[in-house]
Amino acid sequence: EADIYQTPRYLVIGTGKKITLECSQTMGHDKMYWYQQDPGMELHLIHYSYGVNSTEKGDLSSESTVSRIRTEHFPLTLESARPSHTSQYLCASSRGETQYFGPGTRLLVL
Amino acid sequence: GESVGLHLPTLSVQEGDNSIINCAYSNSASDYFIWYKQESGKGPQFIIDIRSNMDKRQGQRVTVLLNKTVKHLSLQIAATQPGDSAVYFCAENISPGSTLTFGKGTMLLVSP
């Protein structure tokens, strides 16, 4: 099982602010993912990476961006937060097909 | 598009009962299936997985059944406990190079 960490766990921020959600894993997994999840709803893939310097957009259109400069680190950035970005953001990593998730970041944009 | 979905949004059971959570998938080419448990305020936690060349796989108190004929996946939890209360998601993968597609969750409520 992967050790995967997300910070912050909770974030309340005003409209227009730039934010970066951090995700790190210590298992050396090549693949990492970001999902957006509204309460009680399914997970929607917004970004993924299959390795360093590789990033792809997921199924759900998102105004966020990601980078993968190091294997263990996969930060997600919102250049200008809006209330519509209020949601839970989940990071996951995998070596094969089984994804292991972090605890999530709950974002509230006022 | 292809989809993975669950039949029941909420399942309420008594402690000690067996629980069955169902999932329908539409892509007959799906090769890998996985069940996650998500407790309130936490990320999804891996429970059990199964490949399309199997029809049953057992873990500790959990069993996953795969019926490829009707494209149906189920998670059975034996002797359900209050700690099993959570939202359960199924997910499918078409190929090792693709990403998981998640279905809508089923909330399992276990009363003492």
Side-chain angles (χ1 to χ4, degrees):
Chain A
E1 187 171 335
D3 291 323
I4 184 162
Y5 309 96
Q6 291 186 243
T7 57
R9 292 294 315 279
Y10 304 92
L11 181 61
V12 180
I13 201 162
T15 297
K17 298 293 185 182
K18 177 180 178 179
I19 58 172
T20 297
L21 307 184
E22 302 287 350
C23 177
S24 296
Q25 50 95 7
T26 59
M27 299 302 290
H29 288 171
D30 289 328
K31 302 175 183 177
M32 295 188 74
Y33 313 83
W34 276 104
Y35 291 87
Q36 186 173 343
Q37 182 187 34
D38 291 327
M41 303 297 286
E42 64 263 49
L43 283 69
H44 294 288
L45 181 66
I46 50 175
H47 296 283
Y48 61 100
S49 167
Y50 282 174
V52 171
N53 294 326
S54 157
T55 62
E56 301 287 344
K57 290 187 181 294
D59 305 320
L60 181 68
S61 175
S62 173
E63 294 163 346
S64 58
T65 58
V66 292
S67 62
R68 189 86 183 278
I69 299 173
R70 304 199 315 266
T71 298
E72 63 272 19
H73 195 214
F74 191 40
L76 180 144
T77 297
L78 279 167
E79 290 292 334
S80 180
R82 296 209 303 268
S84 61
H85 295 138
T86 294
S87 190
Q88 175 165 252
Y89 293 83
L90 291 161
C91 181
S93 72
S94 71
R95 177 168 286 116
E97 294 166 280
T98 306
Q99 294 181 21
Y100 298 95
F101 285 83
T105 293
R106 288 190 179 272
L107 174 65
L108 173 61
V109 184
L110 302 175
Chain B
E2 303 295 349
S3 65
V4 176
L6 297 174
H7 293 298
L8 298 173
T10 304
L11 177 63
S12 297
V13 300
Q14 295 284 326
E15 182 178 2
D17 288 351
N18 296 331
S19 301
I20 300 176
I21 301 171
N22 297 302
C23 178
Y25 65 95
S26 58
N27 192 336
S28 57
S30 291
D31 177 60
Y32 175 75
F33 304 87
I34 188 168
W35 282 100
Y36 286 95
K37 172 187 180 183
Q38 187 176 23
E39 297 175 275
S40 180
K42 297 183 179 180
Q45 177 186 5
F46 169 82
I47 302 173
I48 193 167
D49 57 3
I50 189 168
R51 292 215 168 270
S52 60
N53 61 352
M54 303 173 67
D55 53 20
K56 181 179 179 179
R57 190 166 188 218
Q58 287 184 293
Q60 186 176 15
R61 282 202 307 120
V62 295
T63 301
V64 55
L65 299 177
L66 176 62
N67 186 330
K68 294 180 287 293
T69 301
V70 295
K71 289 182 282 189
H72 184 266
L73 188 72
S74 68
L75 176 70
Q76 299 179 357
I77 305 174
T80 314
Q81 303 168 0
D84 294 326
S85 294
V87 178
Y88 290 80
F89 292 94
C90 65
E92 63 176 333
N93 196 3
I94 298 171
S95 69
S98 64
T99 56
L100 290 176
T101 299
F102 284 81
K104 292 179 171 59
T106 292
M107 177 171 286
L108 176 64
L109 298 174
V110 183
S111 53

